[in-house]
Amino acid sequence: MFSTFANPHRFMSLTRPLLPILTVVAAVMLAAGWIWAIGFVPDEKYQGPTVQIMYVHVPAAMVSLAAYSTMAISSLLYLILKHSLADVAAKSAAPIAAALSFICLVTGSLWGRPTWGTYWIWDARLTSMLFQLFLILGYMALRSAFQREQEAARAGAILCLVGAVNLPIIKFSVEWWNTLHQPAGFISLTGDSSLTAEFFWPLMFNLIGMMVLFGAFLIATMRSEVYKRQYEAKLARLNRSTS
Amino acid sequence: MKGILAIFRRELVLAWAGGSGLFLPAAFFAGTIFLAPLGVGAEPGLLSRLAPGLIFVALCLASLTTLERIFQADLEVGALDQQRLSGLSMELITVVKVLAHWLVSGLPIALLTPVAAVFMRADTVTPMTILPVFLGSITIFLWGGVGASLTAGLRRSGPLVALLVLPLFVPVVIFGAEELNHILTGQTFGAGLTLLAANTLAALAISPFAMALALKLE
Amino acid sequence: MTGEVTGGNFFVLASFIASGVTMAALAAWTATRLAQAKKKLNMLNQTENPKD
Amino acid sequence: MINRDSDGQMALKLRQLTAVRGYTLLFSGLDFDLAYGEFAALKGPNGAGKTTLLRMVAGLIAAESGEIEYSIPDEAPARGIYYLGHELGLRPNETPLSHLRDWADMHHQPRERILPAIDRLGLTSRREVPAWSLSAGQKKRVALARSLVVPCPIWLLDEPASSLDVGGQCLLCELMTEHLNSNGAILAALHDPMDLEPSRVLDVGAFAP
């Protein structure tokens, strides 16, 4: 059952030291990764320097997908185990996933301008990311529409799972649609151009940095969510004992 | 079997008696179709190219107008509680309600497609144009039903349902518009229909469980 | 190897700045949320049993 | 969980039931047995969780923890539970006749019981009137008629007498007495005492934290 009283002491004590460490490591890695990407990566033969946008765009895309998967998995766990910490994880991962999707879309369109002359090109990956952002915003809007945390958690979990099931279908259909409407010989943002070593390692470094950043954000948001719920639970107990 | 048919019949009668059920979505759909040429201009070439896409977008928007009421009508008067006690499985009840609503609101739109195609100056308008919109509208109502079940307990949740289910309509619009384009321009069709049918079956397989779980939100 | 920042390209800089700003905003929002939540809880603990 | 043997006299066994609304604990460790032929009244202050308990026993709400054991005779329709809540389950453009007909078909019950039930509840003249033009009392009578159209052994009533006129209230007592005499069980949250004396009282407030 929804164990509002499950006291996540173990989680809180575990993450208390972890949060500062992750934040510092993430900051250092991202700073280094960005300097490495901007400063030392040679120009790519087709796009010239604009390839460097990849070092923010691709990690943001991948980590936002990881964030959405975190939401989906913890939603599933919440529906099965009914443990409130799983719901806290899903609710906390949502804003981060939204922010990362937003970064991915902004950098994608900034990449489009010099390369194809327009800020938005209906590239398959970008379009799928757009609808993933829509799913996340829908999740957050649905959750905030409920007063009671219990109902918000359950409704959100169901929507997140339905979204997770549909995301591959959306990706497939957008890619299928893309092959019909996209002119041939189109340089996709990443992936197919096989990356040589000097392009590949900065990407991996930045990816790990972004992952650590996601971890730090997730833990921080979860801790504040746990504090909020403990506050509301204690407030309810106080009102009950005084009334 | 008779039990679930009773719910289906009740839902149909009440949606019909409600009056607005049948005409609202079809009118909304027709309105959108009639507005487009005024904005785009009536050159036949342009309009017929636009027709498939616009028909499916209009279908999505028109369906959104009634999705909110699929479960809310019964939930707010307590009828849903009574149906839960009738021993029928909640998954079956939700599917039956969605299909009844689709019959009253979604099917008329599918039947209107040839008319819309004519208004959009499509080249070959055959009764086959109904097929893609027929399959697409079922999928839209099933996924829309999931959105409706999640927000049944909320007041004024129409716009929220639209935001929730919009991404779920992407495959329907893509495959449906493509297939409708083939039909309207007289090309061979059928491959797209299988993809559309696959989407419908996926929706039919997944959404009842989501809806049933959502309505047990106590 | 181009050592220095290829300043010529406005869009590379713009995307890094945009990402940086978004992440900074998210960080700020998360930090304040965390601080506020902890403060509210402590305040409540204070009022409930001032001794601890 | 439901076991369909009806040899045991017990209709309902509630074991260590706990209910939570939002962050507040309503009641915990609630134990109660209800035998067939018994009428138990739920007592307790407002917000103690009487309605929550009834909906929990009806299976509409999941209990935070604890177990409910039903023993329902095999011939009972559906889940063997008749639940009368605050909302009466009538859509605005439904008529008593159409509602009860759908109700009977939903449970595969014969339609012959509908007209006698309508007459019994005094709705004969209004059986074709849409619900939006019926009074709350008349709609309550349609809800009560449901219990005659689809007879269930266990009755869960949430303030059954509310919005009933004097005639309606004594009719309610008659129906409840008949149900008890035909070996039915009743668990009811009563707002004010009725002419019919409950054989047992369950004070939900006693189980509050």
Side-chain angles (χ1 to χ4, degrees), chain A residues 23-41:
Chain A
T23 326
V24 168
V25 167
V28 165
M29 281 190 78
L30 273 183
W34 280 11
I35 292 164
W36 184 359
I38 290 184
F40 303 102
V41 165

Side-chain angles (χ1 to χ4, degrees), chain A residues 65-89:
Chain A
L65 193 59
Y68 192 81
S69 322
T70 315
M71 283 166 62
I73 293 162
S74 32
S75 296
L76 188 65
L77 284 178
Y78 170 71
L79 285 177
I80 298 167
L81 304 176
K82 278 281 185 291
H83 194 281
S84 62
L85 203 59
D87 168 48
V88 164

Side-chain angles (χ1 to χ4, degrees), chain A residues 236-243:
Chain A
R237 263 198 308 277
L238 274 180
N239 292 352
R240 196 172 165 70
S241 57
T242 48
S243 66

